[in-house]
Amino acid sequence: MTRVRPVAPQDRAALLALNNRHVPAVNALEPAALSRLLEAALLALAAGPVGAPTGLLILLGPAGPAEGPNHAWVREHHPEAAYIDRVMVSATARGQGLGRRFYAAAAGAAAQAGFAALGCEVNLDPPNPESLAFHHCLGFRPVGEATDPRNGKRVVYLLAPADPASDGTLDGTFLARCGNAPCPVAPG
Ligand SMILES: CC(C)(COP(=O)(O)OP(=O)(O)OC[C@H]1O[C@@H](n2cnc3c(N)ncnc32)[C@H](O)[C@@H]1OP(=O)(O)O)[C@@H](O)C(=O)NCCC(=O)NCCS
């Protein structure tokens, strides 16, 4: 099973490339912006070998200024939520539970930091039905919509409870959500 682990300094170049391969699902990053996010993160996880990661999750807590309008929206409307700034799994590593393990760890870290929920946004336009299905599967529900003034993207904000029982390795409720039932298809 692919390891989920803290981001290492040797991962940075590959993580930048991984991130920028996933535009527009995630916003593009310059090296300095990635460094800033990693330093501000409540939790920064990679998957796979050090230096050649196949996934990234960045969870932001209360530290630092809002990282753009979507983070600001979640902070303002749902201060009980830690903010998932970005998540991605390389195409060849998808569908193996890495995203679920990232989120289980995030749900545990958020709860430990005193947050009751996880919040994030997913693109509606340009559409990202895979991510909507993934989040729906993990128990996220829509709490608002907005247009990102930086780029015109239409986004939906999603929230799910944090999970004190979850650390990404224990079989907490977050990992168990959906059980073995087939996940529904993306809404819309
Ligand atoms: C969204 C993403 C992170 C999911 O990662 P992943 O490792 O493939 O997800 P998992 O294998 O952990 O899947 C978790 C659950 O979501 C469901 N799911 C994941 N991708 C799905 C898809 N494309 N369609 C339907 N359901 C999906 C799975 O069925 C799974 O449920 P199950 O365990 O009950 O079967 C990955 O597809 C990705 O990186 N996409 C490109 C970047 C992106 O869109 N990031 C999100 C920006 S908001």
Side-chain angles (χ1 to χ4, degrees):
M1 183 187 284
T2 305
R3 209 158 59 95
V4 167
R5 56 170 177 80
V7 168
Q10 306 94 301
D11 291 325
R12 290 206 182 190
L15 288 178
L16 193 68
L18 181 72
N19 184 87
N20 291 340
R21 273 203 305 279
H22 287 97
V23 175
V26 298
N27 289 326
L29 285 175
E30 298 289 338
L34 175 62
S35 297
R36 194 183 63 244
L37 285 172
L38 292 174
E39 273 139 35
L42 188 60
L43 184 70
L45 293 178
V50 171
T54 54
L56 171 67
L57 171 126
I58 297 179
L59 177 72
L60 297 176
E67 292 287 343
N70 293 319
H71 187 198
W73 190 98
V74 171
R75 269 195 176 172
E76 183 187 344
H77 294 86
H78 291 280
E80 76 279 18
Y83 176 69
I84 296 167
D85 174 74
R86 62 196 61 227
V87 63
M88 73 215 62
V89 172
S90 64
T92 51
R94 283 182 206 153
Q96 300 167 27
L98 277 178
R100 186 183 280 277
R101 293 214 295 287
F102 276 150
Y103 271 44
Q112 274 182 11
F115 289 98
L118 291 173
C120 64
E121 82 282 352
V122 175
N123 292 346
L124 294 173
D125 186 16
N128 190 346
E130 294 83 7
S131 180
L132 284 175
F134 167 77
H135 284 91
H136 186 74
C137 246
L138 268 58
F140 283 77
R141 297 294 174 258
V143 291
E145 290 188 19
T147 300
D148 188 331
R150 298 170 298 181
N151 47 35
K153 285 180 185 174
R154 188 77 190 158
V155 301
V156 59
Y157 298 103
L158 303 171
L159 230 68
D163 183 359
S166 178
D167 70 359
T169 53
L170 297 174
D171 193 15
T173 55
F174 209 89
L175 281 179
R177 274 179 206 164
C178 257
N180 293 323
C183 277
V185 293

